[in-house]
Amino acid sequence: MDLTTALARARGPEPPGPDTPPGPPVPDWPGPATDLPPDTRPGRLDLGRLLRLSLAATDPTGRLRPAPSAGALHPVDALLTVGADCPLPPGRYGYDPLRHRVHHLGPAPHSTPPGVTAELSVTARRTESHYGHRAWPLLLLDTGHAAAALWLAAQALGTVPVDVRLDGTREAPLATVHVPPPPVHADRGPDLDLFTRRSATPPLPGTPAPGDLRAVLATAETAGADQLRWCVAVGGPRPELVESGPGGTLRRLATGEARPTLATWAAGQGWLADAGAVLLGYGCPSDADATRVRRDHLHAGFAVGRAQLTAVRCRLLSRPVGSWQRADLGAALGGEPGQNWIVHGLALGTGRPEEGTE
């Protein structure tokens, strides 16, 4: 499939067709099923908790999970290569997030490092069932979100460094995440926010404080690894577009109200016009090749996934926004057309109406 052509079509005004059947919510993994036993011994990777905090379904329908997904369709599948210092024997396993168990698929390669390597691929049909030709950007963003969820879970378990590969050079797997065993005396971080992190239901009123916006923006920039540019459309009495400035400040990129235009660009989601602020990652030019398309979208999903947890810790409401049409932000700011498209967004709010609007 030509991703450049697919992305151009997804960015255009053509609406998707009627819904089609999404198929099974998880792969039909062969091999015997095994529950994931807890393992909290020093120097051992608690694989069960890692997956509970990142990919496991937390409701019977399978829609509610720690990693956000467009339409709660969860197209990302995880194949695990398990090495030493894990609660499972070394081998290759398919993960079932609905039942939180694995299926043994075969032996691990001799070069397998300790810990676990998750290979993330997608079953495109799940997302295509609702979004049609607009699915491919969302599939890539969802994969980035899943990688972020694994990274965040590993941090909570004290396992560092985590090796995340989002280079976009392969169609399958789209991303890999290697999580090593924790040091013997690792300090476990707080993981309550990972369990409670959820995308808020609109509306998301209330403009976040500048310090909170700086924190969310800084997280996205760090996690995005310079693949995209980042800014925030701010509401309130003085609406503007801001980006990171020197010394941890916010620098004005443009003045005026951008949120109604963003609502139109975001598949007509009118509630976005009243969100307190919207984090935006933009880049991925029209002539990007398939590797660039994959890399930019994977990094965007990874960055927004991590920025959403920062928003949670700032006690902000948040909701990722992945579907964008005709969203040429660079051209809107006076730049060359086709060079800086909105790739991903994160709506933010305090949950409190602006003063004087009640």
Side-chain angles (χ1 to χ4, degrees), residues 10-339:
R11 286 172 168 170
E14 177 189 357
D19 285 1
T20 58
V26 296
D28 184 17
W29 298 112
T34 303
D35 292 331
L36 288 163
D39 194 340
T40 57
R41 289 174 289 174
R44 304 271 292 184
L45 177 61
D46 191 345
L47 182 58
R49 189 159 186 83
L50 177 80
L51 294 169
R52 280 282 187 204
L53 291 170
S54 57
L55 303 181
T58 55
D59 72 320
T61 71
R63 293 174 61 84
L64 191 59
R65 309 190 197 186
S69 172
L73 293 165
H74 298 287
V76 180
D77 302 319
L79 192 153
L80 310 175
T81 300
V82 174
D85 299 324
C86 284
L88 295 172
R92 301 267 286 172
Y93 298 85
Y95 178 56
D96 180 346
L98 270 64
R99 300 167 186 83
H100 191 52
R101 66 187 186 188
V102 295
H103 291 254
H104 185 249
L105 305 178
H110 292 299
S111 59
T112 298
V116 65
T117 300
E119 298 178 4
L120 303 179
S121 300
V122 294
T123 299
R125 176 183 175 184
R126 294 182 207 143
T127 300
E128 289 172 344
S129 68
H130 181 65
Y131 292 98
H133 67 276
R134 293 179 178 173
W136 262 103
L138 302 174
L139 292 163
L140 295 168
L141 295 174
D142 276 10
T143 304
H145 275 284
L150 285 162
W151 188 92
L152 291 167
Q155 302 302 304
L157 296 179
T159 58
V160 291
V162 179
D163 182 16
V164 181
R165 299 195 177 186
L166 307 170
D167 56 28
T169 58
R170 292 189 291 176
E171 294 183 11
L174 288 167
T176 63
V177 181
H178 174 67
V179 181
V184 173
H185 300 295
D187 292 327
R188 287 178 54 120
D191 55 26
L192 179 61
D193 289 334
L194 295 182
F195 274 125
T196 59
R197 177 182 55 156
R198 293 290 178 264
S199 297
T201 301
L204 278 66
T207 304
D212 293 339
L213 292 177
R214 287 196 299 269
V216 173
L217 188 56
T219 299
E221 290 172 334
T222 299
D226 298 324
Q227 295 300 317
L228 300 168
R229 295 180 63 184
W230 295 89
C231 65
V232 182
V234 183
R238 291 180 297 277
E240 57 186 349
L241 210 63
V242 298
E243 61 183 2
S244 291
T249 62
L250 293 176
R251 177 172 53 199
R252 182 179 293 112
L253 186 61
T255 58
E257 180 61 87
R259 294 173 300 166
T261 299
L262 295 177
T264 300
W265 285 349
Q269 298 183 73
W271 62 268
L272 205 58
D274 298 315
V278 187
L279 172 73
L280 300 168
Y282 60 105
C284 198
S286 298
D287 60 356
D289 62 15
T291 296
R292 174 75 182 272
V293 170
R294 286 191 289 262
R295 184 174 66 242
D296 282 4
H297 285 76
L298 291 168
H299 277 91
F302 185 73
V304 167
R306 287 177 52 181
Q308 187 175 24
L309 185 64
T310 297
V312 169
R313 290 174 173 164
C314 292
R315 300 299 178 255
L316 298 176
L317 302 176
S318 61
R319 186 177 184 85
V321 184
S323 187
W324 297 91
Q325 285 75 52
R326 295 176 287 185
D328 191 343
L329 182 61
L333 293 174
E336 182 181 352
Q339 295 303 301

